[in-house]
């Protein structure tokens, strides 16, 4: 007798789309698609293969449906999310927990049957009158130890289109894998729409089922809540990685040029909106990735691959001086999706901090029709664009895209960088004493002043271990232990560095220019190869004045004074002791399974700081 799933698929899919799905011989996949086709009840179902025609179809549907509007430059489109749907929704992102399982208090969860019932009620009939897009992707390079097949079902052509820019094709990957249950699943509905945006934001939900490797997302459009392969997959991947002995990190990957044109690869973790993309895009270097990296031990070596192949970047402050490469790419014809920017009557996009003297007095933005001085219901002035407005572009459109982006073995990692938004404690760059000291004091103790990338108040200092706290889907102590153990399995562990691009003086002025990060990268590159000496401090190893002075001259043509060095690299012992105390409190009170070595390392750091005081 025919499987009930096949019956549903034959009834709801037309012959062409049914055939495309049937060509993937995977029972679990067919049941999954049938379940949600039946529940969501779309008018039609589009199954996308890797063919250029299918990809072009999705792009066309994005503007035919109104989810995106064409801009003046060829290939450019704009998409708007609702006024109250402009960032990741932490409060309504929850893990579906079966009775008897524990993830620790830190993780927001809902009892599985209750949560499923709720989110399925939002999905039920949500796609009536709409088209459902069934898409296949590969997280990480194809045909590689890093690859994870993933499928997304969505009623948003914008989400489907974004996936095509941001992820590697996966229809053929699914065909090759065949009848396997080992793939990630995402189901998304925008829910009820008014003027093209989700209106039921109070019913916005992102529910994560770790056992079924499935994430449900409803009543939202913002990419961080809906583009399944991004932060939704990241939560599934952290869990999978922990079980399998590798790492999923919120990290950029950049190739830094050293003497003789050698290229040394670094990964770097920074909380959202702390310069992760611009560090990956430093002029003269090459970008492998700007947001999510998988790290594996391969033949005793740390190797990293970019999970993605595009950028969903913050557009605020992208200007010709600070981000020349992105600026240029955003002004050239070719595929770019702008989101939540201002669009002028001439169909030209504008954003905050673009360095344009004259911006339009009116246009369309995330609040609908917009004019200078417009206020919202609460009397608050609406800026011309949202602070978390974004652009979506493929990495291969950038001249600085690293040639090893798609290497099945990833790239070798020689250094790992951790940095947050810190106005008064950490120096611009500092090397940890060793792997464990680095993982604990630079990674696990990372904190940052909050930004517009998540809902809530800005400027509050919060702990954000490895800049990954929002996504860690296992007990935090285990995650830290996994990181420590990773280094212990390597023949030679990457060096670990802390950086801080946000130091301020007493008047609140930044002590560094944005471009200075180029010098710190060059210094770290030389450290990897043992070509510069260091000065030892209680918290790590800092550069010598002579070395950075030379690097400032060579790479930025700047005279870097001893006074600047002394101000930037001041030891700030009281501030460091306070930070240590905050960290210890965080681990003692909030991380019941914190490994003992965390406290040992922090204790030793306190002794060094006190001795230096
Ligand atoms: C981040 O906020 O860390 C991002 C964008 O990279 S989001 O997709 O919203 O997560
Ligand atoms: Mn991110």
């Amino acid at each position: 007798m025919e499987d009930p799933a096949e019956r549903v698929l034959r009834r709801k899919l037309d012959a062409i789309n049914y055939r495309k799905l049937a060509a993937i011989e995977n029972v679990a996949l067919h049941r999954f698609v049938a379940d949600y086709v039946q529940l969501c009840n779309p008018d039609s179902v589009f199954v996308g293969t890797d063919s250029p025609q299918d990809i072009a179809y999705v792009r066309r549907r994005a503007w035919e449906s109104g989810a995106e509007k064409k801009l003046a430059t060829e290939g450019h489109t704009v998409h708007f999310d609702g006024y109250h749907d402009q960032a990741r929704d932490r409060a309504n992102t929850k893990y579906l927990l079966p009775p008897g399982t524990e993830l620790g208090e830190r993780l927001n969860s809902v009892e599985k049957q209750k949560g499923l019932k709720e989110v399925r009620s939002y999905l039920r009939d949500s796609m009536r009158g709409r088209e459902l897009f069934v898409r296949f992707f590969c997280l990480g390079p194809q045909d590689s130890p890093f690859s994870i097949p993933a499928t997304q079902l969505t009623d948003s052509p914008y989400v489907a289109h974004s996936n095509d820019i941001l992820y590697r094709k996966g229809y053929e990957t699914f065909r090759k894998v065949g009848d396997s249950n080992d793939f990630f699943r995402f189901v998304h509905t925008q829910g009820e729409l008014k003027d093209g945006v989700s209106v039921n934001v109070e019913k916005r939900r992102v529910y994560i089922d770790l056992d079924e490797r499935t994430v449900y997302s409803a009543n939202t459009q913002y990419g961080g809540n809906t583009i399944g392969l991004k932060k939704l997959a990241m939560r599934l991947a952290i869990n999978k990685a922990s079980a399998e002995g590798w790492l999923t990190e919120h990290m950029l990957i950049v190739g830094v040029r050293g003497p003789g044109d050698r290229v040394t690869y670094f990964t770097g973790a920074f909380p959202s909106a702390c310069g992760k993309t611009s560090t990956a895009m430093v002029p003269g270097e090459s970008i492998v990735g700007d947001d999510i990296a998988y790290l594996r031990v391969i033949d005793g070596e740390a190797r990293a691959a970019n999970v993605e192949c595009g950028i969903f970047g913050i557009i605020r402050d992208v200007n010709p001086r600070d981000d020349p490469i992105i600026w240029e790419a955003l002004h050239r014809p070719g595929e770019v999706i702008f989101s939540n920017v201002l669009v002028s009557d001439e169909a030209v996009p504008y954003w905050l901090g673009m360095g344009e003297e004259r911006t339009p007095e009116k246009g369309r933005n995330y609040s609908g029709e917009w004019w200078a001085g417009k206020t919202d219901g609460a009397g608050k002035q609406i800026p011309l664009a949202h602070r978390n407005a974004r652009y979506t572009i493929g990495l291969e459109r950038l001249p600085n895209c690293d040639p090893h982006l798609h290497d099945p073995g990833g790239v070798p990692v020689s250094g790992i960088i951790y940095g947050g938004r810190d106005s008064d404690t950490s120096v611009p760059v500092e090397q940890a004493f060793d792997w464990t000291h680095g993982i604990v004091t630079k990674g696990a103790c990372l904190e940052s002043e909050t930004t517009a990338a998540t809902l809530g108040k800005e400027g509050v200092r919060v702990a954000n271990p490895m800049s990954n706290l929002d996504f860690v889907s296992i007990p935090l102590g285990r995650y830290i232990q996994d990181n420590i153990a990773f280094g212990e399995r390597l023949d030679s562990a990457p060096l670990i560095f802390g950086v801080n691009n946000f130091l301020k003086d007493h008047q609140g002025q930044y002590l560094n220019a944005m471009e200075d990060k180029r010098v710190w990268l060059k210094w770290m590159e030389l450290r990897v190869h043992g070509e510069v000496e260091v000065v030892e401090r209680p918290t790590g190893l800092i550069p010598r004045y002579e070395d950075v002075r030379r690097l400032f001259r060579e790479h930025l043509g700047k005279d870097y004074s001893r006074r600047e060095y002394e101000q930037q690299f001041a030891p700030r012992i009281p501030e460091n002791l306070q930070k240590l105390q905050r960290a210890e409190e965080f681990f003692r009170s909030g991380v019941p399974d914190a490994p003992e070595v965390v406290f040992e390392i922090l204790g030793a750091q306190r002794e060094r700081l006190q001795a230096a005081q």
Side-chain angles (χ1 to χ4, degrees):
M1 210 183 71
E2 191 183 45
D3 188 281
E6 294 308 315
R7 220 175 309 135
V8 170
L9 294 173
R10 278 187 200 281
R11 185 162 51 80
K12 298 283 290 184
L13 273 60
D14 67 21
I16 294 175
N17 285 291
Y18 179 78
R19 222 176 299 128
K20 288 194 268 188
L21 188 62
I24 303 173
E25 291 178 28
N26 184 331
V27 176
L29 173 72
H30 287 211
R31 289 194 180 148
F32 169 73
V33 176
D35 187 10
Y36 290 96
V37 163
Q38 191 157 34
L39 182 68
C40 303
N41 200 13
D43 277 13
S44 63
V45 179
F46 172 75
V47 176
T49 67
D50 298 343
S51 77
Q53 295 87 320
D54 280 7
I55 288 165
Y57 173 79
V58 170
R59 195 184 313 139
R60 197 176 78 232
R61 290 300 300 145
W63 48 263
E64 278 176 358
S65 67
E68 292 171 30
K69 298 215 163 37
K70 287 189 181 187
L71 295 174
T73 303
E74 200 246 294
H76 292 194
T77 55
V78 65
H79 162 82
F80 291 111
D81 301 310
Y83 190 72
H84 297 287
D85 192 23
Q86 294 286 320
R88 276 188 277 115
D89 184 351
R90 277 193 178 119
N92 287 306
T93 299
K94 298 183 186 176
Y95 294 89
L96 294 169
L97 270 205
T101 38
E102 257 303 330
L103 279 179
E105 273 170 42
R106 193 186 55 79
L107 291 180
N108 211 352
S109 63
V110 50
E111 194 278 313
K112 181 161 168 168
Q113 287 315 319
K114 181 168 166 252
L116 266 180
K117 196 166 162 222
E118 182 192 11
V119 77
R120 285 180 72 96
S121 78
Y122 300 148
L123 288 164
R124 181 161 300 116
D125 291 327
S126 60
M127 302 185 189
R128 201 175 262 165
R130 294 188 195 158
E131 180 172 18
L132 165 61
F133 298 86
V134 180
R135 311 299 316 283
F136 303 98
F137 302 96
C138 180
L139 291 159
Q142 292 155 341
D143 301 315
S144 108
F146 294 100
S147 311
I148 300 177
T151 180
Q152 176 147 27
L153 276 46
T154 177
D155 60 6
S156 162
Y158 157 72
V159 168
H161 180 200
S162 299
N163 274 327
D164 280 322
I165 301 178
L166 293 170
Y167 300 96
R168 297 172 179 93
K169 299 175 181 65
Y171 180 79
E172 291 307 324
T173 306
F174 268 88
R175 286 188 21 117
K176 267 183 232 164
V177 169
D179 200 14
S180 155
N181 204 9
D182 197 6
F183 60 92
F184 289 174
R185 297 141 226 227
F186 307 98
V187 186
H188 166 244
T189 179
Q190 307 173 88
E192 194 186 324
L193 297 175
K194 184 160 178 277
D195 299 329
V197 300
S198 301
V199 283
N200 293 322
V201 281
E202 77 290 350
K203 294 180 182 162
R204 177 171 50 207
R205 298 290 181 271
V206 176
Y207 281 180
I208 304 152
D209 188 334
L210 295 171
D211 296 330
E212 302 291 330
R213 299 190 194 93
T214 304
V215 185
Y216 308 91
S217 156
N219 298 310
T220 173
Q221 295 176 312
Y222 171 69
N225 298 323
T226 60
I227 299 171
L229 285 86
K230 201 165 187 62
K231 294 309 190 329
L232 314 189
M234 191 168 167
R235 296 179 175 98
L236 299 179
I238 287 174
N239 199 274
K240 184 174 165 72
S242 179
E244 296 175 358
W246 49 280
L247 299 175
T248 297
E249 296 299 316
H250 194 198
M251 281 180 174
L252 63 88
I253 310 172
V254 64
V256 179
R257 263 123 206 95
D261 268 342
R262 74 178 169 221
V263 179
T264 307
Y265 289 95
F266 289 80
T267 64
F270 299 73
S272 307
C274 290
K276 194 144 54 51
T277 305
S278 63
T279 302
M281 295 286 302
V282 162
E285 319 303 358
S286 54
I287 179 170
V288 181
D290 86 315
D291 198 31
I292 309 169
Y294 292 160
L295 273 73
R296 282 181 175 268
V297 180
I298 298 178
D299 296 333
E301 194 181 35
R303 311 275 311 186
N306 183 4
V307 172
E308 316 180 279
C309 59
I311 301 182
F312 176 58
I314 296 179
I315 201 163
R316 176 178 164 218
D317 292 336
V318 170
N319 60 59
R321 196 200 55 206
D322 297 324
D323 290 289
I325 307 170
I326 287 288
W327 177 267
E328 204 278 325
L330 296 183
H331 286 81
R332 212 177 338 114
E335 198 169 23
V336 182
I337 309 174
F338 293 84
S339 57
N340 306 316
V341 294
L342 176 75
V343 177
S344 72
D345 296 342
E346 295 75 37
V348 173
Y350 290 84
W351 54 89
L352 300 173
M354 71 192 294
E356 201 85 355
E357 302 258 299
R358 287 159 52 86
T359 52
E361 292 290 305
K362 62 185 182 59
R364 249 199 112 64
N365 77 359
Y366 67 110
S367 71
E369 268 331 297
W370 177 86
W371 55 92
K374 182 179 179 185
T375 52
D376 67 9
K380 221 175 110 210
Q381 286 247 351
I382 301 173
L384 79 106
H386 196 271
R387 293 157 66 78
N388 194 30
R390 301 226 168 208
Y391 59 89
T392 302
I393 192 170
L395 276 169
E396 280 165 319
R397 302 258 338 271
L398 305 176
N400 58 331
C401 177
D402 191 272
H404 301 288
L405 170 64
H406 297 300
D407 277 16
V411 295
V413 183
S414 301
I416 297 182
I417 308 168
Y418 294 101
R421 194 172 279 266
D422 168 4
S423 50
D424 62 9
T425 306
S426 309
V427 296
V429 65
E430 183 174 65
Q431 184 190 330
F433 296 121
D434 57 44
W435 175 264
T436 311
H437 178 254
I439 291 295
V440 172
T441 68
K442 307 294 181 207
C445 291
L446 194 64
E447 40 178 35
S448 193
E449 294 153 19
T450 50
T451 68
T454 50
L455 302 172
K457 195 163 154 19
E458 286 183 45
V460 182
R461 191 165 349 219
V462 288
N464 192 348
M466 283 72 164
S467 97
N468 215 355
L469 194 59
D470 281 356
F471 315 109
V472 171
S473 51
I474 54 176
L476 191 55
R478 191 203 307 166
Y479 169 71
I480 294 168
Q481 182 54 43
D482 287 347
N483 266 266
I484 294 172
F486 185 87
E488 289 165 352
R489 287 163 49 214
L490 297 165
D491 294 341
S492 146
L495 302 188
I496 297 183
F497 300 90
V499 299
N500 180 15
N501 301 314
F502 299 93
L503 263 184
K504 290 181 179 170
D505 64 14
H506 294 301
Q507 280 80 48
Q509 298 293 318
Y510 284 115
L511 288 180
N512 288 99
M514 293 254 252
E515 61 195 12
D516 295 359
K517 49 170 96 76
R518 183 157 165 197
V519 167
W520 316 137
L521 280 179
K522 294 295 192 193
W523 182 79
M524 291 185 266
E525 202 278 339
L526 294 173
R527 278 301 297 161
V528 163
H529 298 278
E531 294 169 10
V532 275
E533 297 297 318
V534 289
V535 179
E536 188 165 336
R537 282 285 178 75
T539 49
L541 310 167
I542 63 163
R544 296 184 309 184
Y545 170 63
E546 310 77 83
D547 296 320
V548 273
R549 175 161 174 254
R550 174 172 62 83
L551 294 171
F552 264 99
R553 175 146 336 122
E554 258 173 44
H555 299 287
L556 297 175
K558 266 198 204 171
D559 252 332
Y560 181 72
S561 68
R562 189 171 278 280
R563 208 182 145 267
E564 284 174 280
Y565 172 81
E566 278 165 7
Q567 208 182 4
Q568 292 166 13
F569 286 90
R572 298 181 182 83
I573 292 187
E575 289 85 350
N576 271 290
L577 280 166
Q578 280 164 23
K579 176 176 171 179
L580 206 61
Q581 191 172 343
R582 285 194 298 274
E584 273 179 330
E585 245 168 64
F586 173 81
F587 291 117
R588 282 212 196 284
S589 63
V591 191
D593 64 333
E596 204 37 50
V597 64
V598 169
F599 300 104
E600 285 162 21
I601 285 183
L602 296 182
Q605 184 123 317
R606 167 171 293 112
E607 279 172 27
R608 285 191 301 271
L609 280 162
Q610 282 167 342
Q613 201 166 24

